[in-house]
Amino acid sequence: MQIRISWPAGQLTATLDDTPTSKALVEVLPISASANTWGEEVYFDTGVSVALEDDAQQVVAPGTVAFWTEGDALALPYGPTPISRAGESRLASPCNVLGSFDGDPRLLSTVRDGDPVRVELV
């Protein structure tokens, strides 16, 4: 499954793995939300509520598409967050891993707090 995430200054596509959370997200697409930033992470509400999966992770590679179950939000790290150690991408808490971006996740650095974000199937 491929999704496109777009905002005023750019867009990226991502490939999602076949997971329960990915399926739940795809069912509600397209969605529009308001972006939040936290260090080098963009996150936003999806309106989807799912359980934490067994293989949830808190430290992920930059460019991972993750789902923060505590906030019903997509969490998109492209570098360190305020709680990272030694340059890692550490999310606020364990998140469901959905897939990864196809292009350079550093493009997410152009997202500003409050930017409109749209997620749709490609």
Side-chain angles (χ1 to χ4, degrees):
M1 294 178 280
Q2 221 181 16
I3 60 170
R4 177 182 300 110
I5 299 172
S6 54
W7 60 96
Q11 67 177 19
L12 280 167
T13 60
T15 300
L16 303 184
D17 300 325
D18 189 14
T19 71
T21 303
S22 293
K23 289 177 184 173
L25 176 66
V26 167
E27 285 180 12
V28 301
L29 295 181
I31 58 171
S32 294
S34 181
N36 300 287
T37 59
W38 187 56
E40 293 187 5
E41 176 188 316
V42 174
Y43 69 98
F44 49 88
D45 182 59
T46 63
V48 174
S49 184
V50 296
L52 198 62
E53 294 177 11
D54 292 338
D55 60 351
Q57 299 175 36
Q58 186 170 14
V59 177
V60 298
T64 297
V65 177
F67 191 91
W68 183 38
T69 60
E70 294 174 26
D72 296 340
L74 277 180
L76 311 172
Y78 58 92
T81 66
I83 61 170
S84 292
R85 300 180 196 133
E88 68 191 7
S89 289
R90 181 177 293 267
L91 303 169
S93 59
C95 292
N96 296 341
V97 173
L98 307 187
S100 61
F101 283 104
D102 303 321
D104 183 357
R106 303 243 4 121
L107 285 173
L108 290 168
S109 68
T110 63
V111 177
R112 300 291 173 246
D113 265 330
D115 273 356
V117 178
R118 180 174 168 86
V119 183
E120 59 196 343
L121 274 174
V122 175

